[in-house]
Amino acid sequence: MPKKTQPAGEVFTERVEVSGHIIDSLILPKILDCITAAGGAFKIDRITVGQARKDPSYALLEVSAPSEQRLQEILAVIADHGAVTVAGADCRLVAADMDGVFPEGFYSSTNQRTEVRLGGQWIDVDLQEMDCGVVVDPQSKTAACRAMTEVRRGELYIVGHAGTRVHPPERQQQQHGFEFMNSPVSTEKPKGVAIRQVAIELVRTKQQGGKSLLVGGPAIVHTGSVEHVCELIRRGYIHRLFAGNALATHDIEQSLFGTSLGVRLDCGDIVEAGHEHHLRAINRVRRWGGIKPAVEMGELKSGIMYECVKYDVPFLLAGSIRDDGPLTDVVTDALEAQRIMREQVRDVSFCLMVATTLHSIAVGNLLPAWVKVVCVDINPSTVIKLGDRGSFQTVGLVTDVEPFFRSLVAEVDRLEKSAS
Amino acid sequence: MPKKTQPAGEVFTERVEVSGHIIDSLILPKILDCITAAGGAFKIDRITVGQARKDPSYALLEVSAPSEQRLQEILAVIADHGAVTVAGADCRLVAADMDGVFPEGFYSSTNQRTEVRLGGQWIDVDLQEMDCGVVVDPQSKTAACRAMTEVRRGELYIVGHAGTRVHPPERQQQQHGFEFMNSPVSTEKPKGVAIRQVAIELVRTKQQGGKSLLVGGPAIVHTGSVEHVCELIRRGYIHRLFAGNALATHDIEQSLFGTSLGVRLDCGDIVEAGHEHHLRAINRVRRWGGIKPAVEMGELKSGIMYECVKYDVPFLLAGSIRDDGPLTDVVTDALEAQRIMREQVRDVSFCLMVATTLHSIAVGNLLPAWVKVVCVDINPSTVIKLGDRGSFQTVGLVTDVEPFFRSLVAEVDRLEKSAS
Amino acid sequence: MPKKTQPAGEVFTERVEVSGHIIDSLILPKILDCITAAGGAFKIDRITVGQARKDPSYALLEVSAPSEQRLQEILAVIADHGAVTVAGADCRLVAADMDGVFPEGFYSSTNQRTEVRLGGQWIDVDLQEMDCGVVVDPQSKTAACRAMTEVRRGELYIVGHAGTRVHPPERQQQQHGFEFMNSPVSTEKPKGVAIRQVAIELVRTKQQGGKSLLVGGPAIVHTGSVEHVCELIRRGYIHRLFAGNALATHDIEQSLFGTSLGVRLDCGDIVEAGHEHHLRAINRVRRWGGIKPAVEMGELKSGIMYECVKYDVPFLLAGSIRDDGPLTDVVTDALEAQRIMREQVRDVSFCLMVATTLHSIAVGNLLPAWVKVVCVDINPSTVIKLGDRGSFQTVGLVTDVEPFFRSLVAEVDRLEKSAS
Amino acid sequence: MPKKTQPAGEVFTERVEVSGHIIDSLILPKILDCITAAGGAFKIDRITVGQARKDPSYALLEVSAPSEQRLQEILAVIADHGAVTVAGADCRLVAADMDGVFPEGFYSSTNQRTEVRLGGQWIDVDLQEMDCGVVVDPQSKTAACRAMTEVRRGELYIVGHAGTRVHPPERQQQQHGFEFMNSPVSTEKPKGVAIRQVAIELVRTKQQGGKSLLVGGPAIVHTGSVEHVCELIRRGYIHRLFAGNALATHDIEQSLFGTSLGVRLDCGDIVEAGHEHHLRAINRVRRWGGIKPAVEMGELKSGIMYECVKYDVPFLLAGSIRDDGPLTDVVTDALEAQRIMREQVRDVSFCLMVATTLHSIAVGNLLPAWVKVVCVDINPSTVIKLGDRGSFQTVGLVTDVEPFFRSLVAEVDRLEKSAS
């Protein structure tokens, strides 16, 4: 609670502190900027700057604003950047008064590591995810992010920003390939380094027992990349697949008919009537009762979906209103699909998004900030959109899909050989 | 059924005829091209060319191919361009043997006017829509397009192309504005004429008692176009709205908070914490029980959704996996949303698609070829994608959303005044 | 000369004929369309359609228009599509009355094979190039395209369209890879086939003693493709190079400093002060007296420009107003650069344009329609622009530059090995 | 000169200081980052942070690197961000040993305000421009940027970074419209505010007697914006015009024939043979002896070029290798065109770049950092390219050209009226 210092001059103030690599990670400048931009003012009461890059710094600020509401807004904003009020207080809890609705004034989560103060003690928030509420169980002293639709009457949600603490990401050690990829829109840069970096992440994730998630669009099939992805699955580098009806359909169309949207992938010829092939593929899979039965019956013998079944890679096909068919396996309800994705990303440590805006943004919304994400698309606007929406842990790679996968497989191969 | 002419030399032939404006509408050249491209050959047995542009022409062709299967494929392709086998036959019907699955070899519909031959008589296909099957009731002598998921066991579906006849669109009379818009990707063209043409379509549709459908993305709100769209609704030019959770959410966010994704639309300032506003807007609407209740309770007082409620414009908000919330009104199941859209497009005669790839393609898939569609986007790739997918009745307009709507309202205004 | 048939009813008519594959190459439909679009009308007096695809067809038309001027305009347009007036006449010649200016009403050339009638005889036009005048020497019975700036007073130029005959390109035999590439903007297509086709053209051109021209932008260097291009030069597949100051500068920067615009190409690191490297590279080359001296002095030891010097590949570096430096070798005057390019494209039979809009359009303007052109860019708009400007012999490939060159070298290698 | 501190441990150090709004303008973090990124290390010896936003801060750093060369590179980089070595030294001068070539190791200028130390005294560098050398006259104690081609033997140029001081731009006061435009690529933002801001700049520049420069591409004509630009010229808001042959040609084509590249701008019809109009327009202007004579002879009566002549707005038409014709007025030599532009931008205080990548980058290279630049294009990549090349004073506006100019004229009109 800020104290109303001057009823006359009408300035409301609050002291906050922030620590860590706040100068070279741009955290402090960002906080100062937010305060001024939002119409507030600040005084720096104390500042200690680390003598070297690895030493943490500390700052104590007095934030002021012309109204209490404005002050609260400012404190909410800078809390997301790690500024914590000195006059510590527990988080404030309000019970949900109806299902599927947060209490008014609910604390809205970021995708960064967050702690909340409960009984004077800071505890970690579980299931970190942006744009959620934080449900708290005072009994067990646990807190977790929860989506709006999942709210049940009577649950206790945090209201306001008091008693919450966000740990903004600190600038990492110089990461050659990835650091360089931070300006994603330029198409005029060498891609080889970046692709090698993705290969390194895949190999490291596998070695450490982590899970790599591939989120992919149908251009993977149209550009002739199926065999590359199959190879990655067979070698154990892909542990989850999120896609839509289109990727699975065209993958199966190619397996059954040798075409993708009617284009023969071996010679590029357009088989005129071929636009029907994808419909016929869907119809057959529906007849067979789904993708897994189709594989088990020996009807589906190759392709990405086939390898997923064979190598036990769980896949989610999320429906959309532009789907033909769809395949029996498609989860047509968006909320149900979100629930499954939420479940399946819990243990994902690396995520590769290729040639799909819709699924990439959907998954980006669900991932905590510390999961590394690489987004590959030939169209810079997809990469930009993902960045605009706060998935700032994402590095973008503007390149052509098929050559990307071809090089990726080659790099993974080289890494495997050099390791053995 | 083609006759096997030469068992030795292995050439399979069939005679087909085609009539109409087959030369200047490029229909005949297209058919000849398809035959050769698919590995067949043709002889022109008879050709009569109209003496003037308005006179129809006629051609009788002998199509040949090296195998019966290839010949059937060719006949299937050219049937879609209006070529009908001379040896007339009824369409062939097969009963569906399970729910949700067409019989193998099903006839896959186009979005163009189609007739099927039943008992020697050509009858029109109802509910024309691409990528469907055609269900036939021999009793009532009716035929209609039906989606795969709607198939019920026992229904009779057309199999193969025999006894089907498509009427490809003939080149229309010189249409100044629209004709010119046929090359949609160029951004270096005068837009004024095209926008006037859209205004003329809106006014004509209203005068003739037709229905105009707006399919829109959230950029309508982000670019500050809400008031223009509201004006079009109030004046009675928009009769249906298809959108997603995002358009409605940001429209309501703007009405409640004055921001869109946290950007203040009056001055362009970014309200830092504003990224939460859309979540708070959704939460409130959920509390109020939906958009209509919110208007009736007096809580929602302006914006596109408000005007839809007030002017009885039916709207469909289709869900997607990237939705926050979503609003209570959102139809989260993709198949259910498709069903509702299918129902609501039946009487639509003009369709304006603005700044949404997903919804535009979804709706484009459902519309018959004779519904005029204008697709507006600042990104040429959306317009190209729509064209690539067979929605060739679509004219594209690559321009900025807000100025487009501003000019559109001005043109409609001018037309109204000149009419009165 | 058209005869004024009806002074009262005011219809002006002229008979024209057209022959060749006028139906399946869409030539006749196009001509009929032009007539109507320009406000004229036609009657088909006679039409003979070839019985099979390889047989030529013939049509005799009566074209009419409401004014003589309009009729002349129509005849001018359809002449560009191969329609020739039956009442044959020689071309009309007018002497240029000043240097650098065509006579008013000059015939403006296309880039397609053209003949002009001189003394009742059709002779070929030399140096075919679009947007030029046609200078005629009645003495030697020769005709040639000439640019406006090259006009000298007293030269005889064709005026009007009479006595000119254009041979529009006929649809070629089914060309698998290339035919398929006719819709250049789609990024969702398999590229492997198209790249193989480019390799085949390079190999065929070399074998037949033709010349292949590479027109390239600096992204060739930025994306790390220098070594691939060097390999193509060393193997004798590139016989001309057209580029600007930037490609040569960054190529030399990379050779001298290992960076391109300050980005280290081996590891992707940005060398902060590296933006100066290109300036330092230019400065040194100026000191050495040019690229060739730099190679001869042993200062420049690798890269595209080095290989050009070593393998005697003539290069043109054309200047632009955004150049830094520039290098001593840059031709800074645009007209002089055009003159040199015109000279050097005369024997070019295949042209590969990569990642440069400016130079691609400049060269596209100079090439006759029968030179095969492949345009490669990651940005679809470059490819579209080239198509929009009448370079319709161009096939476009939307893909990433470095993987393109890598695959191209591999394909060329494979072709070489399979040939030996 | 850095002192070699430890011959054994091999660390080379130098002390630098930096002052100003170094924390909230991100200058200090940027410097620390550069040091580490380049392989150096730092210690903060002293830091004083301003108590409020308006108070300047100060930092004293010890920079160290593993080699003297590396240390020099680091000092060069951070010098561009305002870090000055404490052990002050005069700049080092070396005489040019040949024309058109800088001395090896020359200091390469930025586009930001720069001072150099001469005889212990800091003096301003004139004619600030990036990527130049700095020529010094010790006699008159003056220094100025000079392009490489202008170097004359014997002139004294600064070598190394010692004795140079750059003043990086400090973060400005909250600028509503413009601040918001800093993320230029998003097309999903309200444009009205930004356009109003451009109008305010135009009006302010006129009122203060400054000069506004319009750099424009031919899309200004193609999109039908000629009349808007004419209006701005007539009202005295455009004081310079830089363009190419194409803008002038199509502007004159429209004036003479009513078409732009053969498209009629009043109704959007494509006049088929109209692609010749631009050639005929050029030919006539050449006959008339140039644009000014054409206006004076009464032949050219409207359009942008006409208004430039009538209102004495100096224009530069810079040639390029893709020009047809060109017009007599076109400066075909790139270096000569650069010289003229350099001359004419000296007193420009506001620059509006519309729909041209080539000219925008060329002009961006010549402008000092304190000239406000707004770049308008419907294609985000143009705006991005400009930003990538260090013209960071540029704000980008991704929108359609014609509506932009229409709104701009309306906003200017409103401002004029509200002022009177």
Side-chain angles (χ1 to χ4, degrees), chain B residues 334-376:
Chain B
L335 288 177
E336 176 63 14
Q338 284 183 346
R339 261 177 229 119
I340 296 172
M341 291 195 291
R342 216 168 247 135
E343 211 54 53
Q344 295 209 347
V345 299
R346 287 305 162 212
D347 58 355
V348 162
S349 44
F350 181 65
C351 178
L352 184 57
M353 300 170 165
V354 182
T356 165
T357 309
L358 175 63
H359 292 84
S360 295
I361 293 177
V363 174
N365 286 348
L366 300 178
L367 291 174
W370 52 85
V371 173
K372 277 180 193 151
V373 176
V374 174
C375 176
V376 180

Side-chain angles (χ1 to χ4, degrees), chain B residues 88-397:
Chain B
D90 270 14
C91 58
R92 199 153 68 87
L93 301 178
V94 171
D97 57 339
M98 54 191 293
D99 283 3
V101 180
F102 293 126
E104 190 68 16
F106 66 99
Y107 170 83
S108 168
S109 64
T110 70
N111 61 1
Q112 295 164 46
R113 193 162 80 79
T114 304
E115 291 170 304
V116 297
R117 206 173 107 153
L118 215 58
Q121 217 182 327
W122 290 100
I123 60 169
D124 270 325
V125 173
D126 286 337
L127 307 176
Q128 194 67 46
E129 178 185 331
M130 72 166 88
D131 289 339
C132 285
V134 174
V135 65
V136 170
D137 181 353
Q139 217 65 21
S140 63
K141 285 202 174 282
T142 55
C145 288
R146 188 154 298 172
M148 197 184 285
T149 47
E150 307 298 319
V151 173
R152 291 297 160 262
R153 196 181 160 181
E155 289 174 342
L156 294 174
Y157 283 87
I158 297 181
V159 166
H161 74 283
T164 68
R165 186 157 83 181
V166 168
H167 296 266
E170 299 200 338
R171 180 182 295 250
Q172 297 162 6
Q173 291 298 97
Q174 193 66 7
Q175 288 179 308
H176 298 281
F178 275 111
E179 184 80 2
F180 136 77
M181 281 153 60
N182 277 337
S183 151
V185 293
S186 177
T187 54
E188 299 193 349
K189 283 186 182 162
K191 312 287 163 57
V193 189
I195 297 174
R196 202 173 315 146
Q197 205 65 24
V198 176
I200 289 170
E201 289 296 334
L202 285 178
V203 170
R204 182 189 299 157
T205 303
K206 181 185 174 187
Q207 284 172 345
Q208 299 178 346
K211 302 293 180 203
S212 290
L213 162 65
L214 174 63
V215 181
I220 289 177
V221 185
H222 301 327
T223 57
S225 312
V226 163
E227 190 43 36
H228 306 313
V229 174
C230 289
E231 185 64 22
L232 290 175
I233 295 173
R234 286 191 295 259
R235 292 189 181 204
Y237 292 109
I238 308 288
H239 310 102
R240 301 271 187 283
L241 173 69
F242 290 178
N245 185 57
L247 179 136
T249 294
H250 294 299
D251 172 63
I252 293 169
E253 174 195 348
Q254 194 192 350
S255 178
L256 299 182
F257 299 103
T259 59
S260 175
L261 253 187
V263 176
R264 279 184 55 190
L265 290 166
D266 54 346
C267 65
D269 280 5
I270 295 170
V271 180
E272 259 292 323
H275 68 273
E276 299 173 10
H277 282 171
H278 76 284
L279 270 193
R280 303 204 181 282
I282 296 168
N283 199 57
R284 288 196 191 166
V285 173
R286 290 177 66 94
R287 176 174 302 279
W288 296 326
I291 293 172
K292 204 172 172 209
V295 172
E296 287 166 351
M297 291 160 69
E299 298 283 2
L300 183 61
K301 294 170 188 158
S302 67
I304 294 173
M305 301 318 298
Y306 166 82
E307 302 290 355
C308 282
V309 171
K310 218 176 134 197
Y311 286 85
D312 271 329
V313 172
F315 56 85
L316 168 77
L317 304 180
S320 97
I321 52 170
R322 55 184 272 195
D323 289 346
D324 288 315
L327 292 169
T328 329
D329 303 76
V330 168
V331 178
T332 60
D333 186 83
L335 288 177
E336 176 63 14
Q338 284 183 346
R339 261 177 229 119
I340 296 172
M341 291 195 291
R342 216 168 247 135
E343 211 54 53
Q344 295 209 347
V345 299
R346 287 305 162 212
D347 58 355
V348 162
S349 44
F350 181 65
C351 178
L352 184 57
M353 300 170 165
V354 182
T356 165
T357 309
L358 175 63
H359 292 84
S360 295
I361 293 177
V363 174
N365 286 348
L366 300 178
L367 291 174
W370 52 85
V371 173
K372 277 180 193 151
V373 176
V374 174
C375 176
V376 180
D377 208 298
I378 200 172
N379 188 340
S381 72
T382 303
V383 176
I384 293 170
K385 272 190 188 165
L386 214 64
D388 277 2
R389 275 167 179 75
S391 299
F392 48 79
Q393 77 279 33
T394 302
V395 288
L397 196 49

Side-chain angles (χ1 to χ4, degrees), chain A residues 299-321:
Chain A
E299 298 283 2
L300 183 62
K301 296 171 189 155
S302 67
I304 295 173
M305 301 317 300
Y306 166 83
E307 302 291 354
C308 281
V309 171
K310 218 175 136 197
Y311 286 84
D312 272 329
V313 171
F315 56 85
L316 169 76
L317 304 179
S320 98
I321 52 170

Side-chain angles (χ1 to χ4, degrees), chain A residues 176 188 190-191 269 399-400, chain C residues 176 188 191 222 269 399-400:
Chain A
H176 298 279
E188 299 194 348
K191 313 289 162 56
D269 281 4
T399 190
D400 206 355
Chain C
H176 298 278
E188 298 193 350
K191 311 288 163 56
H222 300 327
D269 279 4
T399 190
D400 206 355

Side-chain angles (χ1 to χ4, degrees), chain D residues 311-331:
Chain D
Y311 286 85
D312 272 329
V313 171
F315 57 85
L316 168 77
L317 304 180
S320 98
I321 53 170
R322 55 184 271 196
D323 289 346
D324 288 314
L327 291 169
T328 329
D329 303 75
V330 167
V331 178

